[in-house]
Structures are given as structure tokens and as C-alpha cells.
Amino acid sequence: MAKDWMASCDEAEKEMVYQSAYKAYMALGKMIQILLCATMLLHLVFHTGILAVIVVGVVYLTMTLTYNHSCVSLQKAKLNP
């Protein structure tokens, strides 16, 4: 469904979507870093358990690896037409 919608967009709309997605990615990256630091500090001070730190870390790792995998795939596609 999202692919159909994206296919129906013109170039200006696609550019707006891409720029918005990048800004959202950057904001989420900063927020997850803050949450990771907060969960680690809370674990040290209140002994809340390591699960929250692991969950936030996995979310951050997933986001970063997905972004990097996408960049590598797009670079390969440009190099091998």
C-alpha cells in the first residue's frame, strides 16, 4: 500500500517525503541516545534491572543497522546499473 502511494507521488512529493524521513531519523536517533543514557543511569542509581537498557539498545541498533543496510544497498544499485 505504501509502495503504491509512493509510486503515485511526483518528484517534489518524493523529495519532501525523503527529507521528512531523514529529519525524523535524526530526531529519533538523538532521542534514543538520550533514552539509552537515562536507562543506564536509572539502572545504576535505582537498580531497575538491565532489561530497559537492552530494549532501548536493541531499538537503536535495529534503526542504525537498517539505515546503514539501506545506504549500502542504494550505493550498490548506483554502481551496478
Side-chain angles (χ1 to χ4, degrees), residues 48-81:
T48 57
I50 196 76
L51 183 62
V53 176
I54 291 172
V55 169
V56 175
V58 166
V59 169
Y60 185 63
L61 187 64
T62 301
M63 184 184 76
T64 304
L65 289 176
T66 302
Y67 178 80
N68 289 331
H69 180 267
S70 178
C71 287
V72 168
S73 297
L74 291 170
Q75 279 297 108
K76 284 182 181 178
K78 279 186 177 182
L79 293 176
N80 300 322

Side-chain angles (χ1 to χ4, degrees), residues 1-52:
M1 185 170 195
K3 288 183 182 181
D4 295 337
W5 174 74
M6 188 59 94
S8 71
C9 292
D10 64 10
E11 291 302 315
E13 290 171 327
K14 287 180 183 179
E15 182 66 25
M16 188 170 53
V17 169
Y18 297 150
Q19 287 182 13
S20 299
Y22 182 72
K23 285 184 180 183
Y25 168 78
M26 295 303 291
L28 190 59
K30 289 176 186 175
M31 180 57 73
I32 291 176
Q33 289 175 5
I34 291 168
L35 286 173
L36 189 57
C37 290
T39 55
M40 286 191 288
L41 287 173
L42 289 171
H43 172 64
L44 289 173
V45 174
F46 297 112
H47 306 289
T48 57
I50 196 76
L51 183 62

